[in-house]
Structures are given as structure tokens and as C-alpha cells.
Amino acid sequence: MSTYRADPKDGVAWITGGSTGIGRSVARLLAKQGYTVAVTVRPNDPLDTLIAETEGMVGKVLAFPSDVTDQAGMAAAVAAIEAEAGPIVLAIFNAGAYLPVTGDNLRMEAFRQSFDVNVFGVMNGLVPVTTRMRNRGRGHIVFMGSISAYFGWPTTAAYGATKAAVNIIAEALKFDFDKMNIRSQVMNPGFIDTPLTEKSSFSMPAMMPVEKAAERICLAIRKGGFEVTFPRRLTWVMKLLFLLPRPLREKALRLSTRWKAEPLVYARRSTFE
Ligand SMILES: NC(=O)c1ccc[n+]([C@@H]2O[C@H](COP(=O)([O-])OP(=O)(O)OC[C@H]3O[C@@H](n4cnc5c(N)ncnc54)[C@H](OP(=O)(O)O)[C@@H]3O)[C@@H](O)[C@H]2O)c1
């Protein structure tokens, strides 16, 4: 028997971090597919425009304010979603933060905040929702990783480390989730045009519009493969770079990011200055 794959007729889709970027576009597409979409946003993020945009679609968007770093708040959000809208059959852990870090400007806060949002923020939702999915005997989980999980490159000491952690969490839990009839997937996109990539200062090849990325993610959810990575022309290069001996990879990364030429530009743009 193949592992469960979410279907709008079975229950609710839940996505974290739907105020902007990928989360917002995916929420809109899922509503178009007929899902009731529960969107977790931080308490001060109004979703009125997204709710208005999705009016008239087969499905609908409902807002559930909660900061992903609040463990009790996330458990309460899961309970509130299920009480108000029905069982969560699809949970997408999308909320994320990219805090650029450079070695000449290290700040504990950048690491703490990155792990709080990108790793513990996932676990705060994963634990309560998979407990409920286990009891029901089915569910579908999507983790949002990144190609920065594959190896370190300039500015990603904190962000890349969190996304590598998310990939390991997803891979390790898959062994058990498969047995629990919970499908798990990890999305490792390249560069997507969102407020997050606006914080990056090096050239980002093969940048993809957010609507196209959301389409790829929704298609991948329907297909159900474990690791989903796009756009292929970039992510295959990344996978090849991963296979290179480390000194060769470092050389290629220095050349492609022009890191050696302009180190101070990146340092000046650090969020924590
Ligand atoms: N853009 C890319 O190139 C790219 C590539 C690979 C992977 N990703 C991943 O894709 C996901 C979405 O990123 P994006 O590009 O769409 O960025 P984005 O537009 O900045 O969206 C990030 C979302 O996460 C929310 N968020 C951040 N901290 C939160 C918190 N503590 N509690 C609740 N929500 C919080 C943000 O809400 P606020 O508005 O309140 O901050 C926002 O809705 C992230 O996990 C990111 O790492 C992005």
C-alpha cells in the first residue's frame, strides 16, 4: 500500500509563514485546488488581502495568528485549526528567516534566531500535528529546506546550517513516518524572488518568480516524491559541486559569488550591524 497523499476532500492544509513570498503563493494555489487553507502568521501580519484574493475560489484561506517560535502557541494553533476547520491532512513548514552572517561580524543572535525559526519553529508545529496524524493513521508533511543545505557558502553559516538540519530531520523521520502512513517531503528550492532573497547581496543565478516556484511545490505535493529541488539547471550544478573535492568546490564558489573580490560589501550589509 502506498503512503497517504493529501487530498482536499480529506481535510485541511496548514501552512506556516503565509504573509509573504512562497507561503502566500502556495496558500493561494491550494485554495484554488479546493483546500481549506489554515495559514499561520505572526500576530501582527494581517492576511486580509490574501483572504480577499482567494474569495470565490473552490477552497478558502483562514488565518491563525501564531509565532512559530512559541511552542505552546503552535500547539494551541494546531488545536484551534482542527476545532474550527477540521483535521489537518497536509502540513507545510514554510516559515523561515535568512540572516546573513559573515565571519568578521559574528553575532550569537543571528544563529539563535535562525535556529529558533527554521528548526525549532518547525518542531513546534511538527510534534503536535504528527501526534494527531498518527492517531488518525494518515497525514502528509512538507518541510521547506533549501539548496543552501548541501554545503556552506558565503553568508549562510546560520541559514545553511538550519536548512541542513531540516533535511536531516526530514530524512531521519521518514523511516518512521512511512510506517505511520504519513508522507514526508523536503523541498530544496534554488533562488526564488521573495522578500527573503532581497537580503542577499551576491548574484543569484536562475532566480525563479515566486508564482512559478509555488506551482512547482504544489505539483510536487500532488506527485509525492521525497526530495524536490528546482530549478533543475541550478540544482543539478549544486549537486555536482557537492560531489567535487572540497578545495575545487571552494574555488568554484569563490568565483561564482565573487566573494574574494568584495568581502566588505557583504559585511556592511549584515542585518546585525
Ligand atoms: N526565497 C528563496 O530563494 C528560498 C529558497 C529556498 C528556500 N526558501 C525557504 O522558503 C521559505 C519561505 O521563504 P520566502 O522566500 O517565501 O521568504 P519570505 O517571503 O521572507 O517569507 C517568510 C515567511 O516566514 C514567516 N516567518 C518568519 N519568522 C516567523 C515566525 N517567527 N513566526 C511565524 N512566521 C514567521 C514570515 O512572516 P513575517 O512576514 O511575519 O516575517 C513570512 O511569512 C523559508 O523557509 C525559506 O527558507 C526560500
Side-chain angles (χ1 to χ4, degrees):
M1 196 187 78
S2 87
T3 316
Y4 176 73
R5 210 173 297 180
D7 189 299
K9 69 177 173 359
D10 296 336
V12 177
W14 172 35
I15 185 160
T16 64
S19 60
T20 56
I22 296 171
R24 187 181 174 97
S25 294
V26 168
R28 196 186 300 118
L29 281 184
L30 291 175
K32 210 169 169 184
Q33 282 172 30
Y35 278 101
T36 294
V37 191
V39 181
T40 315
V41 283
R42 280 199 264 205
N44 294 330
D45 281 344
L47 271 189
D48 305 0
T49 52
L50 179 60
I51 291 169
E53 277 168 34
T54 49
E55 262 166 25
M57 287 184 179
V58 198
K60 61 181 171 191
V61 167
L62 303 171
F64 289 87
S66 181
D67 190 312
V68 295
T69 63
D70 174 0
Q71 186 182 341
M74 287 294 277
V78 168
I81 292 165
E82 296 218 335
E84 203 175 303
I88 296 169
V89 290
L90 172 64
I92 307 173
F93 295 105
N94 165 77
Y98 163 56
L99 302 170
V101 166
T102 54
D104 55 358
N105 187 25
L106 284 177
R107 298 280 190 276
M108 276 310 295
E109 190 48 28
F111 285 86
R112 228 173 241 126
Q113 208 178 320
S114 301
F115 277 84
D116 272 353
V117 175
N118 299 353
V119 180
F120 295 113
V122 172
M123 297 314 301
N124 286 337
L126 187 72
V127 172
V129 84
T130 51
T131 305
R132 286 163 182 264
M133 287 175 172
R134 183 192 60 201
N135 293 341
R136 287 193 286 267
R138 68 180 184 191
H140 189 153
I141 300 290
V142 176
F143 296 91
M144 193 60 75
S146 159
I147 51 166
S148 63
Y150 296 160
F151 42 77
W153 76 66
T155 76
T156 67
Y159 181 73
T162 64
K163 293 299 181 180
V166 165
N167 270 260
I168 294 291
I169 290 168
E171 258 176 48
L173 292 177
K174 185 175 187 300
F175 291 99
D176 309 308
F177 284 175
D178 282 352
K179 288 196 279 186
M180 293 153 66
N181 197 26
I182 297 176
R183 182 174 294 273
S184 51
Q185 297 182 278
V186 60
M187 307 283 162
N188 286 325
F191 302 112
I192 315 300
D193 194 4
T194 69
L196 184 141
T197 35
E198 279 166 19
K199 288 186 199 156
S200 193
S201 46
F202 53 82
S203 81
M204 288 169 284
M207 177 80 86
M208 191 184 249
V210 68
E211 293 79 15
K212 200 165 172 198
E215 276 168 22
R216 295 293 291 271
I217 289 168
C218 290
L219 177 66
I221 291 172
R222 289 199 298 279
K223 286 188 167 175
F226 178 67
E227 193 206 350
V228 179
T229 181
F230 58 84
R232 285 208 184 132
R233 67 181 189 279
L234 171 67
T235 55
W236 286 20
V237 171
M238 299 300 279
K239 295 221 175 213
L240 278 174
L241 278 176
F242 176 71
L243 296 175
L244 283 181
R246 197 179 295 270
L248 279 182
R249 183 164 72 231
E250 186 186 323
K251 203 167 185 179
L253 287 169
R254 279 186 193 279
L255 282 174
S256 57
T257 59
R258 294 168 54 231
W259 190 253
K260 201 175 172 186
E262 308 174 57
L264 290 174
V265 172
Y266 306 104
R268 270 202 302 274
R269 292 196 187 182
S270 169
T271 309
F272 287 92
E273 287 207 352

